[in-house]
Amino acid sequence: MGLKRPVIFLGPPGAGKGTQAKRLAARYGVPHLSTGDMLREHVRQGTELGRKAKPLMDHGDLVPDDVVLGMIEERITRPDAAGGFVFDGFPRTLPQAEKLDEILKRRHVAAPVVVNFHVSNDTLVRRVAGRRVCKVGGEIYNVYEKPPKVDGRCDHDGGELIQRSDDNADVVRDRLAAFEKQTQPLIDYYRTQGNLDDVDGSSSMDEVSRLLTQIVARHGADGDRS
Ligand code: AMP
């Protein structure tokens, strides 16, 4: 159990990052840290941070780096993150990646392992349009690829399945544009460091999970943190 190195998933919306990050985190018994989920929780609770983030998220724009970095630094210092963690949707910009490196060094945490998900645009559109999320536990479904047993209800806790407000065609276009402009440069950043592996995100969920376990092992990230 535990992860010796943090794992980062890069890829466009709908690539399967959330589903795979949850699976990988559960496999190694570490927290799954999704900045999107954290921000949506702030919006739901109506905090000041949530009120500022909401209009940006509604338009598919990124939230300012310092906001996201503050949330992440606070989160990784909690006791449950001592055995490692999986990032989902973070970092999204070069300054976020550079600042993350500083934070990890300061905390004596090893450099991250980065997985770059490739998925065709057709698949992305279908994944995003079909995505449903459990209102209670956050479990992710897809009406085409991974439907729940009972329509509109989570298999695990019976929670209502809802569609994210930013999962509509207009906003997805803007989210894809933000990805291409702001997140693509991270691929070069991490590739140059030798920490990046590519994965075909259009393979089946189980196949992607299998590849991810191999990548984690190859980079010496599996097992307890020393
Ligand atoms: P996600 O759930 O990862 O698709 O994120 C949903 C929305 O939250 C994004 O479209 C952004 O508006 C915001 N967001 C999530 N993570 C970040 C991040 N690392 N940096 C900036 N904005 C983010």
Side-chain angles (χ1 to χ4, degrees), residues 13 34-37 39-40 56-57 60-65 68 88-92 96 131 164 166 175:
S34 155
T35 40
D37 285 352
L39 289 166
R40 280 185 286 278
L56 295 164
M57 295 170 76
D61 295 331
L62 296 187
V63 169
D65 290 338
V68 175
D88 165 16
F90 172 85
R92 285 267 233 289
Q96 287 181 19
R131 170 156 53 194
R164 277 171 49 170
D166 58 352
R175 286 164 60 205

Side-chain angles (χ1 to χ4, degrees), residues 188-209:
D188 292 335
Y189 177 78
Y190 287 121
R191 208 185 289 282
T192 311
Q193 292 182 353
N195 291 330
L196 184 128
D197 271 36
D198 296 286
V199 155
D200 178 1
S202 52
S203 306
S204 72
M205 259 180 280
D206 287 345
E207 173 63 4
V208 175
S209 296

Side-chain angles (χ1 to χ4, degrees), residues 12-130:
K17 302 185 299 289
T19 301
Q20 295 295 342
K22 276 181 203 285
R23 280 190 173 195
L24 195 77
R27 184 182 176 103
Y28 291 99
V30 299
H32 157 234
L33 308 185
S34 155
T35 40
D37 285 352
M38 292 178 197
L39 289 166
R40 280 185 286 278
E41 186 58 23
H42 275 283
V43 171
R44 205 180 60 78
Q45 294 190 355
T47 66
E48 196 187 331
L49 193 160
R51 279 198 298 277
K52 281 191 191 144
K54 188 173 186 317
L56 295 164
M57 295 170 76
D58 284 346
H59 287 102
D61 295 331
L62 296 187
V63 169
D65 290 338
D66 56 339
V67 171
V68 175
L69 283 160
M71 277 187 339
I72 283 291
E73 184 151 23
E74 185 277 325
R75 183 64 188 84
I76 65 173
T77 55
R78 291 194 212 161
D80 69 335
F85 35 86
V86 176
F87 288 125
D88 165 16
F90 172 85
R92 285 267 233 289
T93 66
L94 213 44
Q96 287 181 19
E98 288 166 349
K99 193 72 203 298
L100 174 65
D101 278 352
E102 272 175 46
I103 295 171
L104 295 177
K105 273 202 193 102
R106 201 180 336 119
R107 302 194 162 277
H108 307 288
V109 177
V113 175
V114 185
V115 183
N116 179 29
F117 282 67
H118 293 265
V119 180
S120 72
N121 273 353
D122 285 354
T123 306
L124 292 182
V125 170
R126 217 169 95 96
R127 291 236 180 112
V128 169

